[in-house]
Amino acid sequence: MTRERIVTGGALTPDEDLVQFSLRPRALREYIGQAELKNKLEILISAAKGRGEPVEHILLYGPPGLGKTTLAHIIANEMGSKIISTSGPALQRAGDLMGILTNLNEGDILFIDEIHRLSPVIEDFIYPAMEDFKVDFVVDKGAFAKVINVPLKRFTLVGATTRAGMLSAPLRDRFGLYYHIDFYPPAELEEIIVRSAQLLDISISREAAAIIAVRSRGTPRIANRLLRRVRDYATVKANGQITPESAGFSLDSEGIDAMGLDQMDRKLLKIVVEYYKGGPVGIEELGATLSEEVDTLVDMVEPYLLKIGFIQRTKRGRMVSAEAARHLGLKLPGSTAQETLF
Ligand code: ADE
């Protein structure tokens, strides 16, 4: 079910990746939103360039689809350097990483997505690379084993993760800079939609863009996806006219409601309200009841519900807010106590 979810911040298919890639801003000045982060990056990049040095290692963290990969590419572009991209799960053996590291030139960016999923072996291997720009590589076995110390060029590691808390402390400590990317407000998503529509040659009014923006869960990747769905719907059902009405109908027909919630969100909230009487319920138990992986709930479903205050994470488990129950047309079972929580 999760794989077909159109409101997930994760990428859906390789085809979609291509479209999303074509919409990516390539320079900081084209990047919409995250003003504070953009300012910090601007200073960082211009200072590093002024000194003729690479930027420090950077950790970007935040929910999927908010622009971590885009920012890594922008940093490389702005620095005038090359970027090599890989991911935590793709790096299986030290040899894989050794090949990548030894091919890096001065100032190159090594981008590691899902860096919280690096294996412990690779982590140990990467520490001296990050800290001292060298790797210790063991050749041969047993009595013939030798450690070869290989110097590396000064590169910048940009790590991305949806869960900073899952990074080991030693790895986290080796990043000089940490930047959190938060959900985008609707006004910024509206700008992103208007920009993407121009690039894709789609004619759309501000009002229609605003309708899509509020249903995009604060996530540019979802906004760009919904824009294309709305365009398709308008082509087939509304003479190609993307109006606020056709945009609304199109998203309703996809099961995406006025808050951007889909069936999965509503199912989760409904179960907590009706079955667990509003909570608290442990995430493991919730996963089992919904037949969903806990990781999926934590990475893909919960963050936005937490952001809009529809659920709250407590020591005893997840609780649903009175506002969320109201949104679903339900009532939290007889508790004024719950209401005062929010
Ligand atoms: N496309 C996706 N994210 C974007 C952003 N932050 N700014 C401009 N275009 C985007």
Side-chain angles (χ1 to χ4, degrees), residues 89-118:
L91 294 169
Q92 292 289 324
R93 296 168 307 127
D96 299 339
L97 185 57
M98 177 79 179
I100 294 175
L101 289 172
T102 52
N103 276 303
L104 291 174
N105 288 316
E106 178 92 14
D108 280 353
I109 306 281
L110 171 60
F111 176 61
I112 306 186
D113 203 5
E114 294 188 74
I115 195 163
H116 61 279
R117 293 178 61 195
L118 280 180

Side-chain angles (χ1 to χ4, degrees), residues 115-326:
I115 195 163
H116 61 279
R117 293 178 61 195
L118 280 180
S119 72
V121 178
I122 301 278
E123 268 202 28
D124 283 344
F125 193 76
I126 218 168
Y127 296 152
M130 289 176 77
E131 223 161 24
D132 305 318
F133 300 102
K134 66 179 178 78
V135 276
D136 299 323
F137 199 65
V138 184
V139 286
D140 251 331
K141 288 200 173 97
F144 300 104
K146 268 197 306 261
V147 176
I148 301 184
N149 194 263
V150 185
L152 302 172
K153 305 272 172 46
R154 283 178 63 91
F155 67 99
T156 299
L157 177 62
V158 179
T161 179
T162 47
R163 298 212 225 160
M166 271 180 66
L167 229 61
S168 74
L171 182 56
R172 206 167 47 226
D173 292 347
R174 281 170 173 84
F175 285 96
L177 303 154
Y178 310 84
Y179 296 128
H180 180 233
I181 310 188
D182 206 348
F183 290 110
Y184 294 62
E188 289 175 1
L189 289 171
E190 189 181 312
E191 294 298 324
I192 291 173
I193 292 164
V194 168
R195 174 183 178 272
S196 299
Q198 271 166 2
L199 291 173
L200 296 172
D201 220 2
I202 298 174
S203 142
I204 188 171
S205 66
R206 276 270 159 192
E207 293 73 27
I211 298 269
I212 302 174
V214 291
R215 299 198 194 192
S216 299
R217 310 170 76 90
T219 308
R221 187 185 282 157
I222 297 177
N224 285 335
R225 186 181 296 146
L226 298 187
L227 169 65
R228 281 174 286 122
R229 297 286 167 110
V230 163
R231 186 250 320 254
D232 292 349
Y233 182 91
T235 308
V236 177
K237 302 257 190 189
N239 297 325
Q241 293 299 310
I242 303 183
T243 59
E245 292 73 32
S246 75
F249 279 133
S250 149
L251 298 176
D252 288 344
S253 73
E254 300 273 3
I256 301 167
D257 70 23
M259 294 286 288
L261 307 192
D262 72 345
Q263 252 176 353
M264 169 98 159
D265 302 301
R266 290 191 294 270
K267 190 168 146 198
L268 181 148
L269 295 170
K270 192 163 186 274
I271 281 184
V272 180
V273 172
E274 292 187 336
Y275 192 73
Y276 295 104
K277 315 238 176 299
V281 49
I283 190 72
E284 306 281 340
E285 189 174 343
L286 199 50
T289 310
L290 288 163
S291 307
E292 276 297 337
E293 301 265 343
V294 169
D295 278 357
T296 305
L297 295 182
V298 172
D299 285 339
M300 310 282 195
V301 186
E302 267 197 341
Y304 189 66
L305 296 176
L306 287 164
K307 170 78 185 174
I308 60 174
F310 272 20
I311 56 176
Q312 200 191 39
R313 217 165 12 201
T314 71
K315 278 203 185 96
R316 291 181 303 140
R318 274 59 172 177
M319 301 187 72
V320 163
S321 71
E323 202 191 335
R326 223 173 296 128

